Amino acid sequence: MNQRKAPIDAARLRAELVAPAGPYAALDVVASTGSTNADLLDAVTEDAEDRTVLLAEEQTAGAGRRGRTWHSPAGAGIYCSVLLRPAEVSFARLGSLAVVAGLALIDLSTELGVDAVLKWPNDMLAGPDREKCAGILSEAAASDERAVVLGMGLNVLAAPQPVPPGPGGLAATSLREQGAATTDRTELARLLLLALAERERRWRQAAGDLVRAGLLEDYRARCVTLGQEVKIGAPDGSTLLGIAVDVDAAGQLVLETGDGERRTIFAGDVVHLRQA
């Protein structure tokens, strides 16, 4: 069967993942939407429950970081957002959810036999050429309650049209191109959401502290940014050069500049220049 045309089986996912059988409160699959993240951000004000999941067969306005487009052609990927209401976690630690999602993607790639690593802050790279296979977008909701929408875009099949390179000329790849054991999107969504639930459970129990959750060492081991000379484009348009030396307990990058000063970077576009 042409898996590009095989829809994600929402009934199967609900039966296995939604309470009481699984860890999620609700799960829907839509044929098309602008952005699953945007839809769940809207749902926050409609009292959508903690751990509500939305998947789309395609996104017409899929969003990446800093307003970029995430190419989301019909039937070619997993386009998934999860609404979380982690009352136990301070607002300052919500940014570490990108680490949680990255590790869930690595758990999935390991299950599939795909060689993959993480690029700080929000990319999974796969294959010997370290091409982009998945991206993460975490957005806090503008509400009185603490709520965040965690979006994950995963390339399962090659896009029907060429995808423009990302920052630094980063090319795109897919699970199929990297020899994944399966490209059944229902099974992939199931495995990814189970991996996320387990990682997020540990993160929430530790109040968002990656060290207490036992997640930081896992992330450091799989983060290919560490040890690299990097150029970081800050949100204000400035750039910074240095060696990426660590990721801290809040998921922030620690950069050592040329004068030996250490800077903590909360967000930015990272381009790998060369191995330090």
Side-chain angles (χ1 to χ4, degrees):
M1 178 182 288
N2 183 343
Q3 292 184 4
R4 187 181 300 279
K5 295 182 180 179
I8 295 172
D9 187 340
R12 178 188 163 196
L13 292 179
R14 288 192 197 100
E16 298 190 35
L17 296 177
V18 173
Y24 292 97
L27 184 150
D28 284 313
V29 180
V30 296
S32 180
T33 190
S35 161
T36 56
N37 260 36
D39 290 348
L40 284 189
L41 285 170
D42 288 342
V44 170
T45 60
E46 299 166 3
D47 296 324
E49 294 182 72
D50 183 23
R51 297 190 174 103
T52 291
V53 180
L54 179 63
L55 298 107
E57 290 288 347
E58 73 168 345
Q59 296 180 118
T60 57
R65 292 182 61 254
R66 299 180 71 177
R68 296 191 182 91
T69 298
W70 179 267
H71 293 268
S72 313
I78 302 293
Y79 318 123
C80 173
S81 296
V82 183
L83 168 60
L84 301 168
R85 296 182 182 273
E88 310 92 327
V89 180
S90 69
F91 184 83
R93 290 195 182 274
L94 292 182
S96 62
L97 267 172
V99 168
V100 177
L103 289 173
L105 286 163
I106 288 293
D107 293 340
L108 174 64
S109 68
T110 301
E111 181 86 8
L112 300 174
V114 171
D115 173 32
V117 294
L118 297 170
K119 174 177 175 285
W120 190 92
N122 69 328
D123 295 331
M124 184 178 81
L125 312 181
D129 295 328
R130 296 309 188 213
E131 296 167 316
K132 184 167 179 173
C133 192
I136 300 158
L137 180 62
S138 178
E139 298 181 278
S143 70
D144 294 335
E145 298 179 63
R146 191 167 303 128
V148 61
V149 174
L150 181 62
M152 296 173 289
L154 174 64
N155 300 331
V156 178
L157 309 175
Q161 302 295 329
V163 176
L170 193 61
T173 190
S174 68
L175 293 178
R176 173 173 282 178
E177 291 170 281
Q178 299 304 327
T182 181
T183 54
D184 180 302
R185 291 182 305 124
T186 301
E187 178 64 6
L188 294 174
R190 185 185 74 85
L191 292 172
L192 177 58
L193 286 166
L194 286 173
L196 177 65
E198 174 57 24
R199 294 285 189 176
E200 192 268 341
R201 179 190 63 79
R202 292 165 56 185
W203 172 83
R204 195 180 295 216
Q205 287 180 343
D209 186 316
L210 296 173
V211 174
R212 284 176 50 203
L215 301 177
L216 187 56
E217 285 308 312
D218 286 353
Y219 186 83
R220 286 169 171 159
R222 302 305 292 264
C223 181
V224 73
T225 302
L226 296 180
Q228 296 271 2
E229 182 180 0
V230 298
K231 178 174 71 174
I232 297 179
D236 65 3
S238 63
T239 60
L240 189 63
L241 297 175
I243 306 298
V245 294
D246 201 5
V247 173
D248 68 16
Q252 300 171 121
L253 188 69
V254 180
L255 188 75
E256 187 173 283
T257 60
D259 58 6
E261 180 187 2
R262 290 201 169 193
R263 300 273 298 273
T264 299
I265 309 298
F266 176 73
D269 286 330
V270 174
V271 175
H272 293 173
L273 300 178
R274 62 176 179 266
Q275 191 75 26

